[in-house]
Amino acid sequence: MRTLWRFGYSARLLKTNHFRTAASNTSFPAVWMLLAQYSGTIPARFVVVKKNSFFTMPETDKANLELYSPHPGVRGMTLLNRAAFKRTVVVPVLKVKKEIVNTLLKSLKHTVLQRPGLKRVVEDTEDEDSRLVILDPHKIPEFSLGEAEQEVLKQLNVCPEVSKYNLELTYENFKSEEILRAVLPEGQEVTSGFSRVGHIAHLNLRDHQLPYRYLIGQVLIDKNPGITCVVNKTNIIDSTYRNFQMEVLAGESNLVTKVKENNIAYELDFSKVYWNPRLSTEHGRIVELLKPGDVLFDVFAGIGPFAIPAAKKKCRVFANDLNPESYSWLLHNCKLNKVDNKIKVFNMDGRDFLLGPVREELSKELPLLKEEQKTSFHIVMNLPALAIEFLDVFRHLLVGEPCSTAGLPTVHCYGFSKHDDPTKDIQERAEASLGTSLAGRCSTYLVRNVAPNKEMLCISFQIPADVLYKRPCPDEGKEQASYAALGYQAAPFAVSCWSHLVSPVGHFSCVTAILYLVVSAEVGGRTECLHVCSSCRASCALSNSGPLL
């Protein structure tokens, strides 16, 4: 029943006409059948209506199920014509003296029709001293009031005769699902759900719904107070900045809006930044893990749904986003929430942010961390389409002796999976990127179902010390000198320049060291390089034309 009545109804344009005989174009059991349809059962007594002492009702058929819905002539409508939705149905009523109406409503509260937005009491055009109370057909089987109801009426000196009313329903009396179900071709999926971002309703229409998109947009504005703009996504989120193309279907074209999530306000331009109201619970879950004094690195921060609540919780926050618009709105929202002095904001590629500010801060803070200190370091990577591919950055990100296990940063990395076992899939992909096993060292959380057979998950783990740290080799300086004595020219080689050339079965220490010793010499008229890994005493040959592995 929740779905049936969710949006409610307006009684402003409701019109009623009192009459004592059955109308030829209406059928009284329509309401019975409608309510039975949505309650999931149709009792046999509603299928054939028997005679009673007041009037005779005809037998009902499947067509009666549709009588309490918009006029069938709206089927296929693509431009909204509100007047075409008018429909008349018949409802049962009791005639009651107006001075006892309130008493009767209380006494028969389980018998009166309970349809939100619909008046239960209407004027009697034939008697100004009386009112007509609309009854719930479910509660008066075969139009015979039960003994308890008849006893109440007797005590109130009310005639137990059940009369009929023509009840004219207009567009305002139907909810959006009923309108769209009447308009779209029979058997096709009806759009009733949408994401709300401030005053904007965001739809993701299917192909068969597109011819009706402008009508759908206007109906949603009409039936949802506060919605003044409806947009439809026209492509998938595959851009560098995680935003998408959209079409305004109805209402104003203003896409700058204000939202509130977990008691924090954000402002944004929905057409230029990423915002998903379905992630509210996940944002709150991660922030709940943080304690005052903890450090949060938000690699793909967006407009700040992780960073700003964390700063409000008195955490130190470093927030980054590549999208210049997100960066701008992040700064704006920091000021809006008065945490601009608690968050350091960056506009960088996520990989550069990890290799730069994150590495710098961890290199400075972790060696100073004492056993008794309870500061935790968290790295949030909410870019589910790509974030797992960034995990290789953590391989030997730091140089030196590892800090205590308790001080190792915890990563919360998001990803999509279409695998039969998404938990196993995301863990295996993370392990491949890190170059180590996470068995018994990680937890996986199902965030939400994105689409059929597509899940969004979060894998959380402390970065293993043997992955995060590269231990310095005391003999590295001697090795450089010995190669120079042989006529080779030594030069440092940054990891980002060539790590992808090393064989996947080679030495991870070769791949992940921060700087490498590369020596070169003339061999056969061309320059050939020899990389020497001082940690494992292995070498890999490279040439300027590619790897020789």
Side-chain angles (χ1 to χ4, degrees):
M1 297 301 290
R2 179 185 64 80
T3 301
L4 180 60
W5 312 126
R6 181 174 52 168
F7 291 105
Y9 296 79
S10 170
R12 287 178 297 175
L13 299 185
L14 180 64
K15 298 178 181 178
T16 60
N17 294 303
H18 185 210
F19 66 105
R20 297 294 182 187
T21 58
S24 60
N25 63 339
T26 58
S27 178
F28 178 66
V31 182
W32 284 19
M33 300 299 286
L34 174 82
L35 297 175
Q37 174 189 10
Y38 283 99
S39 66
T41 59
I42 304 179
R45 63 176 179 270
F46 291 163
V47 178
V48 179
V49 180
K50 299 180 181 180
K51 294 182 179 181
N52 57 42
S53 59
F54 302 111
F55 47 80
T56 302
M57 296 302 302
E59 291 188 0
T60 61
D61 54 26
K62 187 176 179 180
N64 294 131
L65 295 174
E66 303 300 326
L67 283 179
Y68 209 58
S69 61
H71 193 283
V74 302
R75 181 78 65 192
M77 179 185 293
T78 55
L79 294 178
L80 184 60
N81 176 8
R82 296 176 180 85
F85 287 83
K86 185 183 297 184
R87 190 69 182 267
T88 300
V89 296
V90 177
V91 293
V93 294
L94 279 175
K95 182 174 181 177
V96 182
K97 291 295 181 180
K98 63 181 181 181
E99 57 266 19
I100 63 170
V101 165
N102 290 335
T103 303
L104 183 134
L105 288 176
K106 293 178 182 178
S107 301
L108 296 182
K109 61 182 179 181
H110 297 299
T111 307
V112 177
L113 182 63
Q114 302 290 336
R115 183 174 170 97
L118 195 63
K119 288 183 177 179
R120 297 179 295 172
V121 180
V122 294
E123 292 185 1
D124 184 349
T125 57
E126 297 180 357
D127 184 357
E128 63 180 16
D129 295 326
S130 299
R131 296 292 182 267
L132 300 169
V133 178
I134 303 175
L135 303 177
D136 183 349
H138 267 139
K139 307 299 174 60
I140 49 171
E142 300 182 0
F143 296 89
S144 297
L145 292 171
E147 293 182 4
E149 288 81 8
Q150 291 191 41
E151 183 62 29
V152 170
L153 296 180
K154 183 177 180 181
Q155 293 177 5
L156 295 175
N157 197 26
V158 175
C159 176
E161 179 182 358
V162 178
S163 302
K164 298 178 294 183
Y165 247 68
N166 260 354
L167 201 127
E168 187 177 274
L169 301 175
T170 66
Y171 173 84
E172 281 73 16
N173 300 124
F174 300 108
K175 67 175 183 175
S176 60
E177 285 96 334
E178 292 173 328
I179 292 171
L180 298 182
R181 189 180 296 112
V183 168
L184 269 65
E186 286 189 85
Q188 290 194 357
E189 180 184 356
V190 173
T191 297
S192 59
F194 56 89
S195 295
R196 181 165 183 169
V197 182
H199 67 278
I200 303 166
H202 168 220
L203 296 170
N204 189 8
L205 296 179
R206 298 176 183 261
D207 290 343
H208 73 270
Q209 298 162 339
L210 292 178
Y212 308 93
R213 62 189 184 276
Y214 301 121
L215 180 145
I216 291 172
Q218 189 58 56
V219 169
L220 291 182
I221 287 180
D222 290 345
K223 298 298 178 178
N224 294 276
I227 295 292
T228 60
C229 174
V230 179
V231 300
N232 179 47
K233 184 170 71 173
T234 58
N235 70 337
I236 61 173
I237 303 175
D238 60 356
S239 67
T240 303
Y241 298 147
R242 287 196 297 170
N243 50 13
F244 49 82
Q245 298 297 315
M246 62 184 73
E247 178 186 12
V248 176
L249 303 182
E252 60 181 314
S253 298
N254 176 26
L255 296 177
V256 175
T257 189
K258 186 172 185 176
V259 298
K260 195 168 187 179
E261 180 183 276
N262 300 326
N263 297 316
I264 294 178
Y266 303 89
E267 294 180 353
L268 62 133
D269 185 335
F270 190 56
S271 66
K272 296 180 179 179
V273 303
Y274 179 80
W275 179 264
N276 190 339
R278 293 186 174 96
L279 295 178
S280 172
T281 301
E282 179 61 12
H283 296 152
R285 184 183 74 88
I286 294 297
V287 173
E288 189 66 25
L289 300 175
L290 307 176
K291 306 183 302 296
D294 284 352
V295 179
L296 173 68
F297 301 100
D298 194 349
V299 184
F300 312 106
I303 67 167
F306 288 114
I308 291 173
K312 287 273 191 181
K313 204 172 181 179
K314 299 183 179 179
C315 296
R316 293 173 51 216
V317 180
F318 297 77
N320 171 73
D321 203 278
L322 176 63
N323 183 355
E325 288 288 339
S326 295
Y327 170 76
S328 176
W329 284 106
L330 176 57
L331 289 172
H332 174 81
N333 287 312
C334 287
K335 293 179 180 178
L336 180 67
N337 289 281
K338 300 179 181 179
V339 292
D340 47 309
N341 60 338
K342 298 178 182 179
I343 300 179
K344 292 185 178 180
V345 180
F346 301 85
N347 180 208
M348 307 171 67
D349 177 79
R351 187 174 292 271
D352 294 336
F353 176 65
L354 290 167
L355 290 169
V358 175
R359 178 164 62 182
E360 180 182 345
E361 191 66 20
L362 291 177
S363 298
K364 180 175 63 176
E365 293 289 336
L366 292 183
L368 302 177
L369 203 61
K370 298 179 181 179
E371 289 290 340
E372 63 272 14
Q373 288 182 310
K374 297 183 179 180
T375 300
S376 296
F377 296 84
H378 293 262
I379 302 173
V380 174
M381 304 175 69
N382 184 20
L383 183 64
L386 295 171
I388 290 178
E389 298 177 15
F390 285 73
L391 293 178
D392 66 301
V393 173
F394 296 117
R395 294 181 179 182
H396 292 186
L397 181 66
L398 307 179
V399 177
E401 292 298 322
C403 67
S404 66
T405 303
L408 293 171
T410 298
V411 173
H412 308 281
C413 183
Y414 293 82
F416 293 130
S417 177
K418 296 183 178 180
H419 197 274
D420 292 338
D421 187 345
T423 297
K424 179 182 178 182
D425 174 51
I426 197 168
Q427 180 176 328
E428 289 179 346
R429 287 158 54 201
E431 290 174 338
S433 192
L434 289 167
T436 192
S437 172
L438 293 176
R441 299 193 285 186
C442 70
S443 63
T444 305
Y445 181 82
L446 178 61
V447 177
R448 70 186 187 98
N449 176 257
V450 178
N453 302 316
K454 184 178 181 181
E455 309 292 344
M456 178 180 174
L457 304 97
C458 175
I459 183 169
S460 298
F461 57 90
Q462 276 192 303
I463 308 173
D466 58 340
V467 172
L468 183 62
Y469 284 90
K470 176 182 185 282
R471 301 186 183 222
C473 177
D475 296 328
E476 188 170 283
K478 296 180 181 179
E479 290 175 354
Q480 293 187 40
S482 61
Y483 278 98
L486 294 174
Y488 292 97
Q489 182 179 0
F493 208 93
V495 108
S496 59
C497 299
W498 68 279
S499 59
H500 64 284
L501 299 176
V502 179
S503 168
V505 298
H507 308 278
F508 282 126
S509 55
C510 298
V511 182
T512 57
I514 295 172
L515 293 177
Y516 293 86
L517 179 65
V518 179
V519 294
S520 61
E522 289 292 326
V523 179
R526 65 174 184 168
T527 300
E528 191 164 286
C529 300
L530 180 68
H531 161 246
V532 180
C533 176
S534 59
S535 297
C536 60
R537 301 299 191 269
S539 62
C540 307
L542 303 172
S543 74
N544 57 5
S545 59
L548 300 177
L549 298 176

